[in-house]
Amino acid sequence: MLFLITLFFNSCFGSEMAVTSAVQLPQPLTLGVQLTGDAHPDWSPFYEAGFFKFPLTSSTRSVSTYSMETGVRYHPFSNWFYVEGELGFRQLSVSVDITNLKQDGVSLASAAIANLGTVYSGVLVGGEWRLAPKFALAFDLGVQLALLHTGGITIVTLPGQDDGTDNSVSDKAEMKRISGLPLPQIAVFRLVWYI
């Protein structure tokens, strides 16, 4: 899909394509592509995606996140400064080991997994500086506002557990509220390699 969009953009405007890599929050690492048209050099559409998993103390305790976003960076003064509008999706998952949770010496479950999913729009400001003809360094900061969001907690039972215990969690309202919170977005730095 991205290849077709790139081909369309190239045929209509002629463009310079770049590969990007960023260290940012809330998605720690992202890779992407950015286009700059000859006919409209102040507009740069982009697509970025990332995945990150961080084990807390073991493989059963971890935080993982993935996201994808697309948008456009606009340079209103035809210089380093830009404003950015984006639309994206973010999934956050936190897994914890709860085998120590016991009743009468018997573990009730093996893990609890919290999932938060959010479709968001973002508004950011930033800067991009060409350090060489084919290399640039950029940063930006702004806010992500939730458009659609949901969440839930899943309790994973132990294999062979068949005692009729109800492990469901009534958490929809709370998790939906958490997943709908506005989040700051900060790209500490973005490396841009023009091809």
Side-chain angles (χ1 to χ4, degrees), residues 24-42:
Q24 62 184 26
L25 294 172
Q27 178 63 51
L29 301 170
T30 62
L31 296 174
V33 294
Q34 175 178 304
L35 302 170
T36 304
D38 296 335
H40 304 283
D42 293 334

Side-chain angles (χ1 to χ4, degrees), residues 41-173:
D42 293 334
W43 294 88
S44 299
F46 69 91
Y47 172 80
E48 293 179 339
F51 173 79
F52 188 78
K53 184 171 184 176
F54 181 74
L56 296 175
T57 56
S58 69
S59 62
T60 58
R61 296 177 184 167
S62 64
V63 174
S64 65
T65 178
Y66 71 84
S67 67
M68 57 186 93
E69 57 195 28
T70 187
V72 66
R73 296 182 178 109
Y74 173 59
H75 298 261
F77 309 114
S78 299
N79 63 3
W80 60 270
F81 175 77
Y82 65 82
V83 292
E84 176 181 321
E86 65 185 16
L87 183 64
F89 173 76
R90 176 182 63 249
Q91 175 74 31
L92 174 67
S93 179
V94 179
S95 176
V96 294
D97 181 358
I98 58 172
T99 54
N100 289 335
L101 182 60
K102 298 180 180 182
Q103 181 178 359
D104 297 328
V106 177
S107 292
L108 298 176
S110 62
I113 302 168
N115 288 301
L116 302 172
T118 307
V119 174
Y120 61 88
S121 64
V123 179
L124 299 95
V125 295
E128 180 180 320
W129 294 271
R130 290 263 184 150
L131 304 177
K134 297 287 184 182
F135 182 73
L137 182 64
F139 85 96
D140 51 55
L141 60 99
V143 65
Q144 294 178 356
L145 302 171
L147 301 175
L148 301 169
H149 50 95
T150 188
I153 296 176
T154 304
I155 305 296
V156 180
T157 59
L158 292 167
Q161 183 180 17
D162 195 20
D163 63 357
T165 303
D166 181 9
N167 288 327
S168 61
V169 179
S170 178
D171 62 346
K172 289 292 182 195

